[in-house]
Amino acid sequence: MLIGYEYNAYRLGVALGVHWTPGPTAPPHWLVVGPSGTGKTVFSGQLAARMALRENARLWVANYKDDDFFQFLQGGQGRYYRFRDAVNGIRDFYAVLEARLGGDLDRSLCLLWVDELAAMVTGLDKKEGELAKSAVASILQTGRSLNCQLLVSVQRADSAYFNNGARENFGNVVFLGPNITKEAAGMFGIDRAALPSVTGRAGYYIVNGNSEAIRPIQCPIIKDTAKLKEALSLGLTR
C-alpha cells in the first residue's frame, strides 16, 4: 500500500525507483555518478519529482549545462537556475540553510539538485567555483538535521569537487553504467570483483551509504513526461 506522497507519485505516474524518506534521522543527500548517456539526469529528475510531491516540499535546480531534459523550464519557472546563474541557485538555497541555522524552526523538505557539479566548478571563474564548492560542503555537513537535502550528479566521483571530505556525508550513492571505475571503488570501499554484473541503463546503489550493502539498480524509464514535469514544476514554484 502506498500512502501520502508515495500515492501522489503513483497517481501522477512518477516512478518511485528507489525508496528514500528524507528527514532528520534518515540517511541524507544523494550522489549520482555515471558517464554521459547512462541516465543520470533521468534518474535524478524522477527522484527530485518524487520529493517535490511531499507536503510543503520546495525544490531548487542549479544546472550549469542546461541540457534538453530541462527545456520546459527555460521560461523561468520558479527556482530554476541555468548556465552561469546556476551558482546563484546554490547561494539562494544556502541562504535557507543559514536561516535555519540561525533559528528558523521550519523543517519542511528543501532539496537542491545540482546537475553536473564538476562542469559548473570548472566552468566558473575560480572565485565562484570555490564559492560553489564551499556552499555544497556546508550543505552536506550541516543540512541533515535541518532537512536541507542535496542531490548532486557528476560524471566522475572525484573528491576534488567536495571540500574537506564533505563527500563522505552522502548517505546514498548511485553509480550508473555497467562499470564502477577503479578510482570510485577505492573512494567508496567497493570490491569490484564481488559486484554482480549489470547491463543496459543500469548500475549500482550503495544502500544508506554502506558499501557492504551495494545492490544493482535499473535506471527508471519516464512513462509520462508531462506528469514528471508537473511534479517538478510544483516543487520549483511552491
Side-chain angles (χ1 to χ4, degrees), residues 19 44 48 63 66-67 72 77 93 95-96 98-99 102 108 146 157 168 190 192-194 198 208 213:
H19 293 282
S44 301
N63 176 31
D66 191 41
D67 62 26
F72 76 103
Q77 278 189 311
F93 185 86
V96 174
E98 283 194 312
S108 60
L146 303 171
E168 298 174 1
I190 299 168
R192 294 196 298 170
V198 298
N208 295 346

PDB file of all heavy atoms in Angstrom, residues 19 44 48 63 66-67 72 77 93 95-96 98-99 102 108 146 157 168 190 192-194 198 208 213:
ATOM      1  N   HIS A  19      13.685   3.705  -2.764  1.00  0.00           N
ATOM      2  CA  HIS A  19      12.887   4.232  -1.658  1.00  0.00           C
ATOM      3  C   HIS A  19      13.774   5.082  -0.751  1.00  0.00           C
ATOM      4  O   HIS A  19      14.819   4.646  -0.291  1.00  0.00           O
ATOM      5  CB  HIS A  19      12.238   3.096  -0.872  1.00  0.00           C
ATOM      6  CG  HIS A  19      11.206   2.353  -1.657  1.00  0.00           C
ATOM      7  ND1 HIS A  19       9.938   2.837  -1.862  1.00  0.00           N
ATOM      8  CD2 HIS A  19      11.254   1.178  -2.316  1.00  0.00           C
ATOM      9  CE1 HIS A  19       9.246   1.989  -2.603  1.00  0.00           C
ATOM     10  NE2 HIS A  19      10.029   0.972  -2.893  1.00  0.00           N
ATOM     11  N   SER A  44      17.904  11.296 -11.597  1.00  0.00           N
ATOM     12  CA  SER A  44      17.832  12.399 -10.646  1.00  0.00           C
ATOM     13  C   SER A  44      16.516  13.146 -10.772  1.00  0.00           C
ATOM     14  O   SER A  44      15.919  13.560  -9.771  1.00  0.00           O
ATOM     15  CB  SER A  44      19.004  13.361 -10.867  1.00  0.00           C
ATOM     16  OG  SER A  44      20.243  12.705 -10.709  1.00  0.00           O
ATOM     17  N   ALA A  48      13.903  13.750  -7.801  1.00  0.00           N
ATOM     18  CA  ALA A  48      13.518  15.103  -7.408  1.00  0.00           C
ATOM     19  C   ALA A  48      12.009  15.302  -7.522  1.00  0.00           C
ATOM     20  O   ALA A  48      11.389  15.945  -6.670  1.00  0.00           O
ATOM     21  CB  ALA A  48      14.252  16.128  -8.270  1.00  0.00           C
ATOM     22  N   ASN A  63      21.610  24.115 -12.725  1.00  0.00           N
ATOM     23  CA  ASN A  63      22.007  23.320 -13.879  1.00  0.00           C
ATOM     24  C   ASN A  63      22.903  24.139 -14.796  1.00  0.00           C
ATOM     25  O   ASN A  63      22.422  24.930 -15.611  1.00  0.00           O
ATOM     26  CB  ASN A  63      20.753  22.847 -14.631  1.00  0.00           C
ATOM     27  CG  ASN A  63      21.105  22.097 -15.895  1.00  0.00           C
ATOM     28  OD1 ASN A  63      22.127  21.443 -15.975  1.00  0.00           O
ATOM     29  ND2 ASN A  63      20.247  22.209 -16.893  1.00  0.00           N
ATOM     30  N   ASP A  66      22.367  23.018 -18.693  1.00  0.00           N
ATOM     31  CA  ASP A  66      21.030  23.244 -19.243  1.00  0.00           C
ATOM     32  C   ASP A  66      20.760  22.328 -20.441  1.00  0.00           C
ATOM     33  O   ASP A  66      20.474  22.783 -21.542  1.00  0.00           O
ATOM     34  CB  ASP A  66      20.860  24.709 -19.656  1.00  0.00           C
ATOM     35  CG  ASP A  66      19.399  25.060 -19.978  1.00  0.00           C
ATOM     36  OD1 ASP A  66      18.507  24.594 -19.255  1.00  0.00           O
ATOM     37  OD2 ASP A  66      19.162  25.774 -20.960  1.00  0.00           O
ATOM     38  N   ASP A  67      20.798  21.012 -20.213  1.00  0.00           N
ATOM     39  CA  ASP A  67      20.594  20.089 -21.333  1.00  0.00           C
ATOM     40  C   ASP A  67      19.119  19.960 -21.692  1.00  0.00           C
ATOM     41  O   ASP A  67      18.253  20.607 -21.109  1.00  0.00           O
ATOM     42  CB  ASP A  67      21.224  18.722 -21.040  1.00  0.00           C
ATOM     43  CG  ASP A  67      20.605  18.029 -19.832  1.00  0.00           C
ATOM     44  OD1 ASP A  67      19.439  18.307 -19.517  1.00  0.00           O
ATOM     45  OD2 ASP A  67      21.288  17.198 -19.209  1.00  0.00           O
ATOM     46  N   PHE A  72      11.689  22.518 -20.738  1.00  0.00           N
ATOM     47  CA  PHE A  72      10.379  23.025 -20.317  1.00  0.00           C
ATOM     48  C   PHE A  72      10.492  24.066 -19.210  1.00  0.00           C
ATOM     49  O   PHE A  72       9.525  24.781 -18.914  1.00  0.00           O
ATOM     50  CB  PHE A  72       9.484  21.862 -19.856  1.00  0.00           C
ATOM     51  CG  PHE A  72       9.820  21.310 -18.499  1.00  0.00           C
ATOM     52  CD1 PHE A  72       9.045  21.630 -17.385  1.00  0.00           C
ATOM     53  CD2 PHE A  72      10.888  20.443 -18.329  1.00  0.00           C
ATOM     54  CE1 PHE A  72       9.336  21.101 -16.143  1.00  0.00           C
ATOM     55  CE2 PHE A  72      11.189  19.904 -17.094  1.00  0.00           C
ATOM     56  CZ  PHE A  72      10.413  20.244 -15.987  1.00  0.00           C
ATOM     57  N   GLN A  77      10.634  29.196 -14.773  1.00  0.00           N
ATOM     58  CA  GLN A  77       9.745  28.676 -13.743  1.00  0.00           C
ATOM     59  C   GLN A  77      10.447  28.581 -12.398  1.00  0.00           C
ATOM     60  O   GLN A  77      11.370  27.787 -12.217  1.00  0.00           O
ATOM     61  CB  GLN A  77       9.225  27.288 -14.139  1.00  0.00           C
ATOM     62  CG  GLN A  77       8.055  27.311 -15.100  1.00  0.00           C
ATOM     63  CD  GLN A  77       7.472  25.917 -15.264  1.00  0.00           C
ATOM     64  OE1 GLN A  77       8.189  24.961 -15.488  1.00  0.00           O
ATOM     65  NE2 GLN A  77       6.179  25.803 -15.146  1.00  0.00           N
ATOM     66  N   PHE A  93      19.786  28.647  -2.078  1.00  0.00           N
ATOM     67  CA  PHE A  93      19.483  27.502  -1.214  1.00  0.00           C
ATOM     68  C   PHE A  93      20.267  27.601   0.087  1.00  0.00           C
ATOM     69  O   PHE A  93      19.733  27.329   1.171  1.00  0.00           O
ATOM     70  CB  PHE A  93      19.826  26.204  -1.943  1.00  0.00           C
ATOM     71  CG  PHE A  93      19.449  24.962  -1.179  1.00  0.00           C
ATOM     72  CD1 PHE A  93      18.168  24.437  -1.275  1.00  0.00           C
ATOM     73  CD2 PHE A  93      20.368  24.329  -0.361  1.00  0.00           C
ATOM     74  CE1 PHE A  93      17.817  23.301  -0.566  1.00  0.00           C
ATOM     75  CE2 PHE A  93      20.025  23.190   0.350  1.00  0.00           C
ATOM     76  CZ  PHE A  93      18.741  22.673   0.244  1.00  0.00           C
ATOM     77  N   ALA A  95      21.135  30.190   1.605  1.00  0.00           N
ATOM     78  CA  ALA A  95      20.520  31.206   2.458  1.00  0.00           C
ATOM     79  C   ALA A  95      19.416  30.590   3.322  1.00  0.00           C
ATOM     80  O   ALA A  95      19.220  30.995   4.482  1.00  0.00           O
ATOM     81  CB  ALA A  95      19.952  32.339   1.609  1.00  0.00           C
ATOM     82  N   VAL A  96      18.690  29.614   2.766  1.00  0.00           N
ATOM     83  CA  VAL A  96      17.663  28.913   3.548  1.00  0.00           C
ATOM     84  C   VAL A  96      18.328  28.121   4.674  1.00  0.00           C
ATOM     85  O   VAL A  96      17.866  28.133   5.821  1.00  0.00           O
ATOM     86  CB  VAL A  96      16.848  27.978   2.635  1.00  0.00           C
ATOM     87  CG1 VAL A  96      15.885  27.126   3.459  1.00  0.00           C
ATOM     88  CG2 VAL A  96      16.084  28.786   1.596  1.00  0.00           C
ATOM     89  N   GLU A  98      21.203  28.748   6.102  1.00  0.00           N
ATOM     90  CA  GLU A  98      21.699  29.691   7.104  1.00  0.00           C
ATOM     91  C   GLU A  98      20.578  30.205   7.989  1.00  0.00           C
ATOM     92  O   GLU A  98      20.772  30.392   9.204  1.00  0.00           O
ATOM     93  CB  GLU A  98      22.391  30.865   6.412  1.00  0.00           C
ATOM     94  CG  GLU A  98      23.774  30.554   5.889  1.00  0.00           C
ATOM     95  CD  GLU A  98      24.533  31.816   5.517  1.00  0.00           C
ATOM     96  OE1 GLU A  98      23.945  32.670   4.816  1.00  0.00           O
ATOM     97  OE2 GLU A  98      25.702  31.952   5.939  1.00  0.00           O
ATOM     98  N   ALA A  99      19.404  30.439   7.404  1.00  0.00           N
ATOM     99  CA  ALA A  99      18.269  30.904   8.205  1.00  0.00           C
ATOM    100  C   ALA A  99      17.881  29.862   9.246  1.00  0.00           C
ATOM    101  O   ALA A  99      17.577  30.193  10.404  1.00  0.00           O
ATOM    102  CB  ALA A  99      17.082  31.220   7.296  1.00  0.00           C
ATOM    103  N   GLY A 102      20.268  29.793  11.942  1.00  0.00           N
ATOM    104  CA  GLY A 102      20.116  30.986  12.764  1.00  0.00           C
ATOM    105  C   GLY A 102      18.870  31.006  13.623  1.00  0.00           C
ATOM    106  O   GLY A 102      18.634  31.988  14.334  1.00  0.00           O
ATOM    107  N   SER A 108      10.412  21.764   6.890  1.00  0.00           N
ATOM    108  CA  SER A 108       9.870  21.168   5.679  1.00  0.00           C
ATOM    109  C   SER A 108      11.013  20.870   4.716  1.00  0.00           C
ATOM    110  O   SER A 108      12.065  21.512   4.758  1.00  0.00           O
ATOM    111  CB  SER A 108       8.857  22.111   5.020  1.00  0.00           C
ATOM    112  OG  SER A 108       9.464  23.342   4.675  1.00  0.00           O
ATOM    113  N   LEU A 146      18.498  19.729   9.536  1.00  0.00           N
ATOM    114  CA  LEU A 146      17.653  20.864   9.159  1.00  0.00           C
ATOM    115  C   LEU A 146      16.752  20.523   7.974  1.00  0.00           C
ATOM    116  O   LEU A 146      15.984  21.368   7.517  1.00  0.00           O
ATOM    117  CB  LEU A 146      18.530  22.070   8.829  1.00  0.00           C
ATOM    118  CG  LEU A 146      19.480  22.502   9.951  1.00  0.00           C
ATOM    119  CD1 LEU A 146      20.457  23.552   9.445  1.00  0.00           C
ATOM    120  CD2 LEU A 146      18.704  23.031  11.146  1.00  0.00           C
ATOM    121  N   ALA A 157      33.300  10.373  -9.782  1.00  0.00           N
ATOM    122  CA  ALA A 157      33.244  10.564  -8.331  1.00  0.00           C
ATOM    123  C   ALA A 157      34.567  11.117  -7.830  1.00  0.00           C
ATOM    124  O   ALA A 157      35.337  10.450  -7.144  1.00  0.00           O
ATOM    125  CB  ALA A 157      32.928   9.235  -7.638  1.00  0.00           C
ATOM    126  N   GLU A 168      31.961  12.423   2.045  1.00  0.00           N
ATOM    127  CA  GLU A 168      31.626  11.319   2.932  1.00  0.00           C
ATOM    128  C   GLU A 168      30.250  11.478   3.576  1.00  0.00           C
ATOM    129  O   GLU A 168      29.734  10.547   4.196  1.00  0.00           O
ATOM    130  CB  GLU A 168      32.694  11.174   4.010  1.00  0.00           C
ATOM    131  CG  GLU A 168      34.073  10.856   3.445  1.00  0.00           C
ATOM    132  CD  GLU A 168      35.151  10.863   4.500  1.00  0.00           C
ATOM    133  OE1 GLU A 168      34.823  11.101   5.692  1.00  0.00           O
ATOM    134  OE2 GLU A 168      36.329  10.636   4.144  1.00  0.00           O
ATOM    135  N   ILE A 190      34.592  -0.153  -2.365  1.00  0.00           N
ATOM    136  CA  ILE A 190      33.818  -1.158  -3.090  1.00  0.00           C
ATOM    137  C   ILE A 190      34.747  -2.226  -3.652  1.00  0.00           C
ATOM    138  O   ILE A 190      35.788  -1.911  -4.247  1.00  0.00           O
ATOM    139  CB  ILE A 190      33.027  -0.510  -4.241  1.00  0.00           C
ATOM    140  CG1 ILE A 190      32.038   0.516  -3.685  1.00  0.00           C
ATOM    141  CG2 ILE A 190      32.303  -1.545  -5.075  1.00  0.00           C
ATOM    142  CD1 ILE A 190      31.422   1.398  -4.745  1.00  0.00           C
ATOM    143  N   ARG A 192      35.158  -4.399  -6.491  1.00  0.00           N
ATOM    144  CA  ARG A 192      34.584  -4.535  -7.832  1.00  0.00           C
ATOM    145  C   ARG A 192      34.423  -5.993  -8.240  1.00  0.00           C
ATOM    146  O   ARG A 192      33.479  -6.346  -8.956  1.00  0.00           O
ATOM    147  CB  ARG A 192      35.451  -3.800  -8.859  1.00  0.00           C
ATOM    148  CG  ARG A 192      35.463  -2.289  -8.675  1.00  0.00           C
ATOM    149  CD  ARG A 192      35.996  -1.596  -9.910  1.00  0.00           C
ATOM    150  NE  ARG A 192      37.377  -1.968 -10.193  1.00  0.00           N
ATOM    151  CZ  ARG A 192      38.019  -1.662 -11.315  1.00  0.00           C
ATOM    152  NH1 ARG A 192      37.388  -0.999 -12.271  1.00  0.00           N
ATOM    153  NH2 ARG A 192      39.271  -2.009 -11.497  1.00  0.00           N
ATOM    154  N   ALA A 193      35.313  -6.852  -7.781  1.00  0.00           N
ATOM    155  CA  ALA A 193      35.252  -8.259  -8.159  1.00  0.00           C
ATOM    156  C   ALA A 193      34.008  -8.959  -7.604  1.00  0.00           C
ATOM    157  O   ALA A 193      33.561  -9.967  -8.150  1.00  0.00           O
ATOM    158  CB  ALA A 193      36.508  -8.980  -7.683  1.00  0.00           C
ATOM    159  N   ALA A 194      33.460  -8.414  -6.532  1.00  0.00           N
ATOM    160  CA  ALA A 194      32.308  -9.054  -5.892  1.00  0.00           C
ATOM    161  C   ALA A 194      30.971  -8.543  -6.416  1.00  0.00           C
ATOM    162  O   ALA A 194      29.912  -9.042  -6.022  1.00  0.00           O
ATOM    163  CB  ALA A 194      32.377  -8.833  -4.375  1.00  0.00           C
ATOM    164  N   VAL A 198      25.777  -6.035 -14.482  1.00  0.00           N
ATOM    165  CA  VAL A 198      24.561  -5.354 -14.916  1.00  0.00           C
ATOM    166  C   VAL A 198      24.707  -5.012 -16.391  1.00  0.00           C
ATOM    167  O   VAL A 198      25.812  -4.905 -16.913  1.00  0.00           O
ATOM    168  CB  VAL A 198      24.271  -4.076 -14.098  1.00  0.00           C
ATOM    169  CG1 VAL A 198      24.053  -4.388 -12.632  1.00  0.00           C
ATOM    170  CG2 VAL A 198      25.410  -3.070 -14.263  1.00  0.00           C
ATOM    171  N   ASN A 208      22.097   3.282   1.912  1.00  0.00           N
ATOM    172  CA  ASN A 208      22.342   4.024   3.147  1.00  0.00           C
ATOM    173  C   ASN A 208      23.822   4.292   3.392  1.00  0.00           C
ATOM    174  O   ASN A 208      24.286   4.311   4.536  1.00  0.00           O
ATOM    175  CB  ASN A 208      21.748   3.277   4.356  1.00  0.00           C
ATOM    176  CG  ASN A 208      20.234   3.202   4.294  1.00  0.00           C
ATOM    177  OD1 ASN A 208      19.611   3.910   3.510  1.00  0.00           O
ATOM    178  ND2 ASN A 208      19.644   2.341   5.091  1.00  0.00           N
ATOM    179  N   ALA A 213      26.500  -2.938   1.524  1.00  0.00           N
ATOM    180  CA  ALA A 213      25.103  -3.203   1.176  1.00  0.00           C
ATOM    181  C   ALA A 213      24.782  -2.680  -0.222  1.00  0.00           C
ATOM    182  O   ALA A 213      23.722  -2.130  -0.466  1.00  0.00           O
ATOM    183  CB  ALA A 213      24.173  -2.565   2.208  1.00  0.00           C
TER     184      ALA A 213
END
